[in-house]
């Protein structure tokens, strides 16, 4: 086989490879563009739904927090609103049951109750459960802490 025919065959082969490369590269570009278009369309369609869901969840959380703080003033709260102190975390309220009447001269017994307010099917968080178990296990105590004034010398 003469050298010119070999060169023509090699040139034709290389040309075929180049044409195939550019053809497939163009096809891949088309698929990439379709994928980008689909992703952009999906983002536009879902962004609004995601935002609405986020707003609804935020609104629900805000309503729950408001309801928690208003609980002592709502019907069905079993303690006097004057005895309830909102702390928010790890439980919603400390209720000094009977305190408001006892401090006004009745000198009745005062009970201390930790209250967690839940709406609907709300469940205790891990932290709330730990506090509940500590109370149920009797691991509750009183401690008076005296802070020394730095200006005053030692007693």
């Amino acid at each position: 086989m003469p050298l010119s025919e070999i060169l023509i065959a090699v040139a034709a082969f290389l040309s075929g490879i180049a044409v195939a490369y550019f053809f497939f590269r163009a096809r891949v570009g088309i698929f990439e563009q379709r994928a980008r278009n689909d992703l952009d369309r999906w983002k536009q369609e879902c962004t609004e739904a995601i935002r609405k869901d986020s707003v609804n969840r935020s609104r629900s959380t805000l309503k729950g927090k408001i309801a928690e703080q208003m609980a002592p003033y709502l019907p069905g709260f079993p303690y006097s609103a004057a005895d309830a102190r909102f702390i928010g975390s790890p439980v919603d309220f400390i209720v000094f049951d009977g305190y408001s009447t006892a401090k006004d001269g009745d000198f009745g017994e005062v009970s201390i109750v930790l209250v967690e307010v839940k709406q609907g099917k709300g469940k205790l968080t891990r932290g709330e459960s730990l506090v509940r178990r500590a109370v149920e296990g009797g691991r509750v105590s009183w401690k008076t802490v005296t802070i020394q004034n730095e200006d005053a010398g030692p007693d």
Side-chain angles (χ1 to χ4, degrees), residues 25-59:
R25 184 75 181 139
R27 295 292 293 172
V28 167
I30 291 169
F31 289 128
E32 286 177 345
Q33 189 59 43
R34 281 185 192 164
R36 278 192 211 100
N37 291 342
D38 289 346
L39 178 62
D40 289 341
R41 186 171 3 97
W42 177 81
K43 282 180 185 177
Q44 289 174 347
E45 290 171 358
C46 292
T47 297
E48 187 173 335
I50 290 169
R51 283 189 180 138
K52 282 182 182 178
D53 181 59
S54 176
V55 166
N56 288 339
R57 287 176 189 258
S58 178
R59 191 174 291 143

Side-chain angles (χ1 to χ4, degrees), residues 9 11-12 21 34 38-39 47 49 52-53 58 64 69 74 81 85 105 112 116 122 127-128 130 132 142 145 151 155:
Y21 170 78
R34 281 185 192 164
D38 289 346
L39 178 62
T47 297
K52 282 182 182 178
D53 181 59
S58 178
Q69 292 189 31
L74 298 175
R85 304 294 186 271
I112 298 173
E116 178 61 32
E128 293 162 355
L130 290 171
R132 183 192 70 205
W142 173 273
V145 176
D151 294 338
D155 290 337

Side-chain angles (χ1 to χ4, degrees), residues 8-137:
I8 291 173
V10 168
F13 178 73
L14 292 176
S15 297
I17 289 175
V19 167
Y21 170 78
F22 289 116
F23 174 77
F24 286 113
R25 184 75 181 139
R27 295 292 293 172
V28 167
I30 291 169
F31 289 128
E32 286 177 345
Q33 189 59 43
R34 281 185 192 164
R36 278 192 211 100
N37 291 342
D38 289 346
L39 178 62
D40 289 341
R41 186 171 3 97
W42 177 81
K43 282 180 185 177
Q44 289 174 347
E45 290 171 358
C46 292
T47 297
E48 187 173 335
I50 290 169
R51 283 189 180 138
K52 282 182 182 178
D53 181 59
S54 176
V55 166
N56 288 339
R57 287 176 189 258
S58 178
R59 191 174 291 143
S60 176
T61 299
L62 187 58
K63 285 179 183 178
K65 290 192 179 292
I66 291 170
E68 283 176 358
Q69 292 189 31
M70 297 302 296
Y73 306 102
L74 298 175
F77 192 76
Y79 305 100
S80 168
D83 292 345
R85 304 294 186 271
F86 181 78
I87 60 169
S89 178
V91 294
D92 293 326
F93 291 92
I94 297 178
V95 176
F96 301 92
D97 192 27
Y99 177 76
S100 58
T101 56
K103 74 175 178 116
D104 291 335
D106 184 18
F107 296 109
E109 286 291 315
V110 175
S111 299
I112 298 173
V113 183
L114 302 182
V115 177
E116 178 61 32
V117 177
K118 294 293 181 191
Q119 251 185 329
K121 296 181 180 180
K123 295 182 180 177
L124 294 179
T125 65
R126 175 169 162 61
E128 293 162 355
S129 294
L130 290 171
V131 172
R132 183 192 70 205
R133 281 186 286 204
V135 171
E136 290 172 346

